[in-house]
Amino acid sequence: PPRSTLFPYTTLFRSPWPIGVAAGRVLFLADDLQHGLQPWTTDGSAAGTQLLAVVPGSASRDWVQFLGQWYFATDESFGAQLWRSDGTSGGTVPLATVSGNIQNLTADTNRLWFTSTDFTGNSLCWWNGASVQTIPLPLNGIEEMAPAPGNALLFAYDDGVNGTELWRSDGSIAGTSMLVDLEIGRAHV
């Protein structure tokens, strides 16, 4: 592998992880052995490769495109943060700090959904462009999420009673419930 001119005794990057394209450049994650896993950008040349931002801890490999920009989270050891990037250093900014960790980033047409788990429990969360809204759930059993028609979210969730079933949320506590019990009578063991 190529050697870094800044750190001649190391390879240029450890664990590079391609993300996607923004502002005509490729976004990727890499650890330069100095900052941890961080967001980088490149135009395809060594001279055009640069660190976008130094985020607290490390950046998650779970990125999603939403409303023309890329969203990602930092790890919880330094307070989990939701970040946004337009592919430029000035446009890579923190948006919110969340208690616990941030996982399962999923976008629909109007919201960025994610889960947050901490010592108090599990929450289904969404970002509307201005703030984070949370829907507390009794157990941390959300496994997969996908956008659904009607500005909603479908997700696989084990509530500790019915086993893992298909749930739906419209973003409100009242509008979050099991959609269908596919395995009637099969409880969580």
Side-chain angles (χ1 to χ4, degrees):
R3 298 275 177 194
S4 167
T5 55
L6 296 174
F7 313 105
Y9 300 106
T10 65
T11 57
L12 186 55
F13 300 111
R14 283 186 15 195
S15 307
W17 187 271
I19 301 299
V21 176
R25 300 172 58 86
V26 175
L27 294 173
F28 67 99
L29 294 174
D31 181 350
D32 64 0
L33 301 177
Q34 187 176 46
H35 300 100
L37 197 61
Q38 299 293 326
W40 291 73
T41 184
T42 185
D43 63 4
S45 70
T49 301
Q50 65 186 30
L51 181 64
L52 279 178
V54 177
V55 302
S58 292
S60 164
R61 290 185 174 175
D62 184 18
W63 286 52
V64 66
Q65 202 166 24
F66 176 60
L67 301 177
Q69 298 192 47
W70 287 93
Y71 290 76
F72 65 99
T74 62
D75 63 31
E76 69 177 312
S77 58
F78 293 93
Q81 292 181 334
L82 181 64
W83 283 65
R84 176 182 64 216
S85 180
D86 64 1
T88 66
S89 291
T92 302
V93 295
L95 301 172
T97 300
V98 176
S99 176
N101 61 8
I102 296 174
Q103 296 177 315
N104 301 315
L105 291 172
T106 304
D108 68 18
T109 55
N110 298 314
R111 290 183 275 217
L112 176 65
W113 297 85
F114 58 93
T115 58
S116 175
T117 305
D118 65 13
F119 65 93
T120 64
N122 190 54
S123 294
L124 178 62
C125 307
W126 55 272
W127 169 259
N128 63 5
S131 62
V132 173
Q133 306 298 315
T134 62
I135 301 165
L137 297 171
L139 298 172
N140 48 345
I142 295 178
E143 296 176 15
E144 298 292 332
M145 301 188 332
N151 196 27
L153 180 78
L154 293 180
F155 56 99
Y157 177 60
D158 182 349
D159 64 359
V161 176
N162 299 295
T164 303
E165 297 292 353
L166 188 60
W167 284 60
R168 182 184 186 279
S169 179
D170 66 2
S172 69
I173 293 172
T176 302
S177 62
M178 186 169 50
L179 181 67
V180 61
D181 189 349
L182 296 170
E183 295 188 55
I184 298 171
R186 183 171 181 178
H188 177 72
V189 180

